[in-house]
Amino acid sequence: MELRMVVVVVTHLVVPWSLIARLWRGSFRSKISWLVSTAALGAYVAGMVMIGAWAWVSYYFRIALPLAFLGAAYCSFRRALPRQVPWWRRPESASGWAELVTDALVAAVFGWLAVGAVQGLGHGNARAVELSFPLKGGVYYVGQGGGSPMLNHHSVDKAQRFALDIVKLNAAGTRAAGLYPSDPARYAVFGEPIYSPCAGEVVASKDGLPDNKPPDSDRKNLAGNHVVVRCAEQGVDVGLAHMMNGSVAVKPGQQVEVGQLLGRVGNSGNTREPHLHIHAVKTGSGSVSDGEGVPIRFDGRFLVRNSLVMR
């Protein structure tokens, strides 16, 4: 079993729901003990809601988790409220102290993660370009996106600092039929048509590379099958990567219109599962791999991790 798969299940399902059950049933010696425990779980929930990979286990859990936390916090508060429960009482054992200190550390760490995630919800002073969303006919989920490493692992790269990785959700709110299937066709986004996000000229394209079998990747051909469109009106070059083998429908020098078919979502290049990678660089600042990255907005929205787009 893939380590990442185990980590996702533990951090998104096992840990939070176990802690919610503990808070719900908890009997606290003091109101301070209740407050620290609730703050720790609240920080964990807030952090995971913002930075979690919810398309793996179902986006519906992202909605249910804070609601369950609020319910557990309310019920446990009713038990901690009576007068006979003081604001402070020393823990009776070393394990009691350890639990109190651990809760305080969890609250601090995940509070810090949540603050870092909030900082990535915008694009600072960088001027964003307006593009047309390149996928249609479903509910699409942003797996990587935003202006900070907490939300977007691309943000440390000059050209890809505002890049997006996009998948499609099925009826269960997950990106695939199964937790981490090895068949690309079991991912909802695989084979989806990709449409030009702007009017412009195709300045580069590549086809003929095979689609990887998850979780394998091709680290020699980073973008895999891809298309680069120069959007003259917006002043950017837009790269769309990891297309399906044999699906690229345009060639360099070809003029395209907004919404014109470019290819289909695949799993070629340096990717471990099917998704559409898209990012923009300022025209003239270099290639799409080393130019100056530019924020992208779709219908006025700056998308970040866990954003949904319904088309």
Side-chain angles (χ1 to χ4, degrees), residues 21-47:
R22 171 194 167 209
L23 180 63
W24 188 291
R25 300 191 306 262
S27 177
F28 299 94
R29 289 178 52 79
S30 69
K31 292 184 175 68
I32 289 294
S33 176
W34 172 86
L35 184 62
V36 173
S37 293
T38 303
L41 181 52
Y44 187 94
V45 169

Side-chain angles (χ1 to χ4, degrees), residues 206-212 218 220-226 242-248 266-270:
K206 173 75 175 179
D207 202 351
L209 295 172
D211 291 297
N212 305 314
D218 178 1
K220 293 182 179 179
N221 302 284
L222 299 183
N225 303 314
H226 65 275
H242 310 312
M243 294 186 180
M244 179 188 289
N245 185 20
S247 75
V248 176
N267 196 41
S268 60
N270 187 28

Side-chain angles (χ1 to χ4, degrees), residues 4 8-9 12-13 48-63 139-144 165-181 186-189 273-275 305-308:
R4 185 184 177 191
V8 168
V9 170
H12 290 62
L13 298 179
M48 291 305 299
V49 163
M50 298 187 72
I51 69 175
W54 293 100
W56 282 59
V57 297
S58 179
Y59 192 85
Y60 299 126
F61 281 118
R62 183 177 187 253
I63 300 170
V139 178
Y140 297 95
Y141 169 94
V142 178
Q144 297 291 332
D165 287 346
I166 304 169
V167 299
K168 185 178 183 180
L169 298 184
N170 57 27
T174 62
R175 79 210 191 293
L179 197 57
Y180 204 172
R186 297 186 67 183
Y187 292 79
V189 79
E273 63 177 70
H275 70 277
R305 181 183 297 181
N306 289 308
S307 292
L308 294 183

Side-chain angles (χ1 to χ4, degrees), residues 134 194-195 197 225-227 229 238-243 262 276-278:
I194 302 170
Y195 302 98
N225 303 314
H226 65 275
V227 171
V229 179
V238 179
L240 303 102
H242 310 312
M243 294 186 180
L262 299 179
L276 173 63
H277 172 101
I278 179 172

Side-chain angles (χ1 to χ4, degrees), residues 232-276:
E233 185 175 337
Q234 291 86 351
V236 295
D237 293 348
V238 179
L240 303 102
H242 310 312
M243 294 186 180
M244 179 188 289
N245 185 20
S247 75
V248 176
V250 293
K251 297 184 180 299
Q254 182 176 339
Q255 297 293 319
V256 294
E257 299 297 327
V258 177
Q260 183 171 332
L261 180 68
L262 299 179
R264 293 181 179 274
V265 178
N267 196 41
S268 60
N270 187 28
T271 171
R272 304 184 71 184
E273 63 177 70
H275 70 277
L276 173 63

Side-chain angles (χ1 to χ4, degrees), residues 99-306:
E99 182 176 299
L100 191 65
V101 171
T102 298
D103 283 343
L105 288 175
V106 169
V109 170
F110 279 90
W112 173 76
L113 289 176
V115 170
V118 168
Q119 292 174 343
L121 296 178
H123 48 78
N125 296 324
R127 184 179 177 184
V129 295
E130 294 285 345
L131 298 177
S132 175
F133 195 72
L135 300 168
K136 300 177 183 178
V139 178
Y140 297 95
Y141 169 94
V142 178
Q144 297 291 332
S148 76
M150 296 293 185
L151 297 177
N152 188 359
H153 68 231
H154 300 297
S155 66
V156 296
D157 183 276
K158 176 186 174 183
Q160 300 184 46
R161 57 184 297 208
F162 299 110
L164 298 168
D165 287 346
I166 304 169
V167 299
K168 185 178 183 180
L169 298 184
N170 57 27
T174 62
R175 79 210 191 293
L179 197 57
Y180 204 172
S182 59
D183 181 1
R186 297 186 67 183
Y187 292 79
V189 79
F190 189 73
E192 288 289 297
I194 302 170
Y195 302 98
S196 180
C198 65
E201 179 186 356
V202 177
V203 295
S205 68
K206 173 75 175 179
D207 202 351
L209 295 172
D211 291 297
N212 305 314
K213 180 179 179 180
D216 297 338
S217 62
D218 178 1
R219 298 190 177 184
K220 293 182 179 179
N221 302 284
L222 299 183
N225 303 314
H226 65 275
V227 171
V228 179
V229 179
R230 177 157 295 165
C231 309
E233 185 175 337
Q234 291 86 351
V236 295
D237 293 348
V238 179
L240 303 102
H242 310 312
M243 294 186 180
M244 179 188 289
N245 185 20
S247 75
V248 176
V250 293
K251 297 184 180 299
Q254 182 176 339
Q255 297 293 319
V256 294
E257 299 297 327
V258 177
Q260 183 171 332
L261 180 68
L262 299 179
R264 293 181 179 274
V265 178
N267 196 41
S268 60
N270 187 28
T271 171
R272 304 184 71 184
E273 63 177 70
H275 70 277
L276 173 63
H277 172 101
I278 179 172
H279 74 273
V281 299
K282 187 178 296 185
T283 299
S285 66
S287 70
V288 289
S289 61
D290 61 12
E292 181 183 346
V294 177
I296 299 171
R297 284 203 301 251
F298 299 106
D299 297 323
R301 294 178 62 197
F302 178 67
L303 303 178
V304 301
R305 181 183 297 181
N306 289 308

